[in-house]
Amino acid sequence: MPQHFFRDWTAQAACQNSDPELFFPLTWDGRPARHTALARRVCLACPVRLPCLNWAVETAEPDGMWGGTTPTERRGLRSARERRPAA
Ligand code: SF4
Protein backbone atom coordinates (compact mmCIF):
# COMPACT_ATOMS: atom_id res chain seq x y z
CA MET A 1 0.00 0.00 0.00
CA PRO A 2 1.51 3.37 -0.96
CA GLN A 3 2.48 5.58 1.99
CA HIS A 4 0.37 8.50 0.77
CA PHE A 5 -2.79 6.36 0.83
CA PHE A 6 -3.17 6.63 4.61
CA ARG A 7 -2.60 10.39 4.66
CA ASP A 8 -5.05 11.05 1.83
CA TRP A 9 -8.13 9.58 3.43
CA THR A 10 -7.45 10.66 7.00
CA ALA A 11 -7.63 14.30 5.90
CA GLN A 12 -11.34 13.72 5.20
CA ALA A 13 -12.13 11.78 8.37
CA ALA A 14 -15.44 12.76 9.93
CA CYS A 15 -14.10 11.88 13.39
CA GLN A 16 -11.25 14.40 13.35
CA ASN A 17 -12.86 16.64 15.95
CA SER A 18 -14.73 13.95 17.88
CA ASP A 19 -14.09 12.97 21.47
CA PRO A 20 -11.24 10.42 21.29
CA GLU A 21 -12.85 8.37 24.09
CA LEU A 22 -15.80 7.74 21.78
CA PHE A 23 -13.54 6.04 19.23
CA PHE A 24 -10.80 4.72 21.51
CA PRO A 25 -12.35 3.73 24.83
CA LEU A 26 -10.04 2.51 27.56
CA THR A 27 -12.01 -0.74 27.48
CA TRP A 28 -14.80 -2.21 25.36
CA ASP A 29 -15.99 -4.36 28.26
CA GLY A 30 -18.94 -2.70 29.91
CA ARG A 31 -18.88 0.23 27.53
CA PRO A 32 -22.38 1.73 27.19
CA ALA A 33 -23.91 0.59 23.88
CA ARG A 34 -24.95 4.17 23.15
CA HIS A 35 -21.28 5.22 23.00
CA THR A 36 -20.58 2.62 20.35
CA ALA A 37 -23.75 3.64 18.52
CA LEU A 38 -22.72 7.31 18.57
CA ALA A 39 -19.30 6.56 17.10
CA ARG A 40 -20.82 4.24 14.51
CA ARG A 41 -23.25 6.98 13.47
CA VAL A 42 -20.30 9.31 12.76
CA CYS A 43 -18.62 6.58 10.73
CA LEU A 44 -21.71 5.77 8.68
CA ALA A 45 -21.82 9.40 7.49
CA CYS A 46 -18.07 9.57 6.88
CA PRO A 47 -16.93 10.02 3.25
CA VAL A 48 -13.88 7.79 3.79
CA ARG A 49 -15.52 4.94 5.70
CA LEU A 50 -14.50 2.23 3.22
CA PRO A 51 -10.78 3.08 2.97
CA CYS A 52 -10.73 3.47 6.74
CA LEU A 53 -12.32 0.07 7.26
CA ASN A 54 -10.07 -1.60 4.68
CA TRP A 55 -6.98 -0.13 6.29
CA ALA A 56 -8.01 -1.30 9.76
CA VAL A 57 -8.82 -4.83 8.57
CA GLU A 58 -5.69 -5.16 6.42
CA THR A 59 -3.37 -3.93 9.16
CA ALA A 60 -5.19 -5.89 11.89
CA GLU A 61 -5.66 -2.68 13.87
CA PRO A 62 -6.30 -4.02 17.38
CA ASP A 63 -7.98 -1.02 18.97
CA GLY A 64 -10.59 1.62 18.37
CA MET A 65 -13.60 2.16 16.16
CA TRP A 66 -12.55 2.23 12.49
CA GLY A 67 -14.92 2.32 9.54
CA GLY A 68 -17.84 1.80 11.89
CA THR A 69 -16.49 -1.44 13.34
CA THR A 70 -15.28 -2.53 16.75
CA PRO A 71 -12.10 -4.60 17.19
CA THR A 72 -14.22 -7.75 17.62
CA GLU A 73 -16.16 -7.05 14.43
CA ARG A 74 -12.92 -6.49 12.50
CA ARG A 75 -11.47 -9.77 13.71
CA GLY A 76 -14.56 -11.43 12.22
CA LEU A 77 -14.12 -9.59 8.92
CA ARG A 78 -10.44 -10.49 8.81
CA SER A 79 -11.19 -14.16 9.42
CA ALA A 80 -13.82 -14.11 6.69
CA ARG A 81 -11.33 -12.55 4.27
CA GLU A 82 -8.71 -15.15 5.11
CA ARG A 83 -11.18 -17.99 4.47
CA ARG A 84 -12.22 -16.52 1.13
CA PRO A 85 -10.68 -18.39 -1.83
CA ALA A 86 -8.08 -16.42 -3.80
CA ALA A 87 -9.43 -14.90 -7.02
S1 SF4 B 1 -14.96 5.83 9.12
FE1 SF4 B 1 -15.15 6.46 11.27
S2 SF4 B 1 -13.15 6.06 12.19
FE2 SF4 B 1 -12.88 6.02 9.97
S3 SF4 B 1 -12.25 8.08 9.42
FE3 SF4 B 1 -14.45 7.98 9.20
S4 SF4 B 1 -15.33 8.68 11.13
FE4 SF4 B 1 -13.17 8.19 11.49
Side-chain angles (χ1 to χ4, degrees):
M1 180 181 308
Q3 282 297 313
H4 68 272
F5 179 80
F6 186 76
R7 288 197 309 268
D8 286 351
W9 64 260
T10 57
Q12 300 173 60
C15 57
Q16 288 181 69
N17 299 316
S18 297
D19 177 359
E21 173 64 19
L22 207 53
F23 287 82
F24 291 92
L26 292 177
T27 177
W28 292 89
D29 295 332
R31 171 176 152 103
R34 66 186 165 84
H35 290 186
T36 301
L38 277 172
R40 204 183 309 270
R41 190 177 309 158
V42 174
C43 291
L44 290 177
C46 179
V48 291
R49 186 175 70 83
L50 289 179
C52 174
L53 176 59
N54 277 330
W55 180 86
V57 171
E58 287 174 12
T59 61
E61 171 58 49
D63 198 13
M65 168 74 70
W66 294 82
T69 61
T70 65
T72 301
E73 292 165 342
R74 287 194 303 279
R75 280 194 292 277
L77 289 173
R78 193 169 169 82
S79 294
R81 280 188 184 184
E82 288 168 358
R83 287 193 305 270
R84 195 170 54 196

